Each structure stands twice: as structure tokens, then as C-alpha cells.
Amino acid sequence: KQEVTQIPAALSVPEGENLVLNCSFTDSAIYNLQWFRQDPGKGLTSLLLIQSSQREQTSGRLNASLDKSSGRSTLYIAASQPGDSATYLCAALSNFGNEKLTFGTGTRLTIIP
Amino acid sequence: EADIYQTPRYLVIGTGKKITLECSQTMGHDKMYWYQQDPGMELHLIHYSYGVNSTEKGDLSSESTVSRIRTEHFPLTLESARPSHTSQYLCASSEESPWEYQETQYFGPGTRLLVL
């Protein structure tokens, strides 16, 4: 059974700083690793998807990396802004009888102006 | 960008009532999903569908049922609501990607259910 862990559960960072969010997964037999953003009271927005054969993906100020062998992924946010404040979730797509996403509990990020 | 809608956004209801949470998407996606999320906890898949007349149970056991009569609709029903059903319910959809395992799920805004 796949388990996804995100540490820390909450993080506060001054505006303008670069930061890294961590995600770990127990079973390296994944198809892809995805990062989502969730704003309070809203659904999830997909940020980045990294295929199992890839090492990283970039979108604007966001860069996600994947190390399957160690069961880790990181989301790097450059030059943080108050609008980046949200909960960030990672999810691993695995095949345990059916292809499904296993989500972590998320890291609640607060950017301090 | 996918458009996926959920109604109601918030629902407060008494124990024993029957409720239906609506989910609809306008992108013609074949795959649709229902997740349950408690505050501060991870999302758990409770139902999914790969197309019309296809429904499967997810990992988390749920007393709810779903139907998929039309591609765009994937309603979730609780025949008799209980306080233990209090949670947030998120609907999502995805389309078949020509590139293997490149599917992104698009989420609705969620329904926050409170059963008294």
C-alpha cells in the first residue's frame, strides 16, 4: 500500500525568500508524482506533474523534482509572494489493482508580507 | 482549463435525511472521481468512474453510492445521513491522455457537508 508523507505540516516564510516543500512516498513503483495547490474552502489546482521517467518539471517560479529510488519529491518555490499562501499537496499515481492517486496531508504555507 | 462544478457548496442537514451531492463537468472527460477530505487530513478516493454506466468503489469504504448515466454528471447519494458523514467531498475529472500516465485531474470546489 502506498503512503505519502509531507513534512512539515505548516511553514511560514517571509516574502521574497525561496523555499522547498518535501514529499516522500513508500512505494517507488509510481507512474507519476503530482503537486497540487488548495486554497481555503476550494478544490485542488494542479501545479506540476512529473512522469516516473523524469527528474524534474518547471512552471514559472515552481520547480518540482523527483527521486524515485529514494522515494522523494520536492517543490521549490522561488521568490515567494503572499499569493503563494495555500496548502500544497503531493500525490503519487500508483497501480494497486487500479491506477489511483494517493495524497499526502499537505503543507500549509504562509508567506509573510 | 476544465470546468467542473459541484452543488451545493455547503450543506447542513439533519440525521436520517437523504442527500445528493451534484458534480458536473463540461469537458467531456470520461473519468470522474469522488474524494472525501476531513480537515487537515489527506484526500481519500471513495468512488470513481471510467465512463457511462461504469462505477467502482475507491479505497475508503463509504456508505454513499454513485451513478454515471451521463458523461457529464456523477452524483453522489447518501440514503440516510449521519454525523459521521460530516466532511468535505471533492469531485474530480480527467481525460484520457495520448501520453501514458500524463493525466491531470481537475477538481471542483467541493461540498462541505455537516450532518447534525
Side-chain angles (χ1 to χ4, degrees):
Chain A
K1 178 186 174 186
Q2 178 74 273
E3 293 182 5
V4 178
T5 304
Q6 292 184 251
I7 297 173
L11 179 66
S12 293
V13 174
E15 179 179 1
E17 286 199 1
N18 304 324
L19 62 100
V20 175
L21 305 180
N22 297 298
C23 171
S24 61
F25 46 95
T26 54
D27 193 322
S28 61
I30 63 171
Y31 294 130
N32 64 49
L33 191 291
Q34 301 180 41
W35 283 92
F36 294 86
R37 168 183 174 140
Q38 185 174 29
D39 292 289
K42 297 186 179 180
L44 279 66
T45 301
S46 177
L47 297 174
L48 290 165
L49 183 153
I50 313 176
Q51 288 281 73
S52 62
S53 58
Q54 298 174 324
R55 304 263 322 167
E56 65 178 346
Q57 281 287 334
T58 298
S59 175
R61 295 183 293 109
L62 305 180
N63 176 277
S65 68
L66 175 64
D67 184 343
K68 272 183 57 178
S69 60
S70 66
R72 293 181 182 177
S73 176
T74 63
L75 179 67
Y76 174 83
I77 302 178
S80 59
Q81 303 170 358
D84 295 330
S85 297
T87 296
Y88 291 81
L89 299 161
C90 68
L93 182 66
S94 311
N95 189 345
F96 292 100
N98 60 75
E99 295 163 13
K100 70 174 194 72
L101 282 174
T102 302
F103 285 84
T105 54
T107 295
R108 188 172 68 252
L109 175 66
T110 302
I111 304 301
I112 305 166
Chain B
E1 183 176 326
D3 291 317
I4 182 164
Y5 309 97
Q6 290 186 244
T7 57
R9 292 291 314 278
Y10 305 93
L11 179 61
V12 181
I13 201 163
T15 297
K17 299 292 185 182
K18 178 180 178 179
I19 60 172
T20 297
L21 307 185
E22 299 289 349
C23 176
S24 60
Q25 48 94 6
T26 59
M27 297 293 104
H29 290 173
D30 285 328
K31 298 182 179 181
M32 296 190 73
Y33 314 83
W34 276 103
Y35 292 89
Q36 185 174 341
Q37 184 184 32
D38 293 322
M41 304 296 289
E42 62 267 38
L43 278 76
H44 288 288
L45 181 68
I46 52 174
H47 298 284
Y48 62 98
S49 167
Y50 284 170
V52 171
N53 294 326
S54 154
T55 61
E56 300 287 345
K57 289 187 178 295
D59 295 329
L60 183 66
S61 176
S62 174
E63 294 168 346
S64 59
T65 59
V66 292
S67 62
R68 191 84 185 277
I69 299 173
R70 292 161 55 184
T71 299
E72 60 269 29
H73 289 151
F74 192 38
L76 181 146
T77 299
L78 278 165
E79 290 294 331
S80 180
R82 296 208 301 267
S84 61
H85 296 140
T86 294
S87 188
Q88 176 169 245
Y89 293 84
L90 291 163
C91 180
S93 70
S94 65
E95 61 178 342
E96 202 75 40
S97 171
W99 297 279
E100 200 173 26
Y101 307 123
Q102 285 270 29
E103 296 171 13
T104 295
Q105 291 188 18
Y106 297 90
F107 283 79
T111 293
R112 287 187 179 274
L113 174 65
L114 173 61
V115 184
L116 302 175

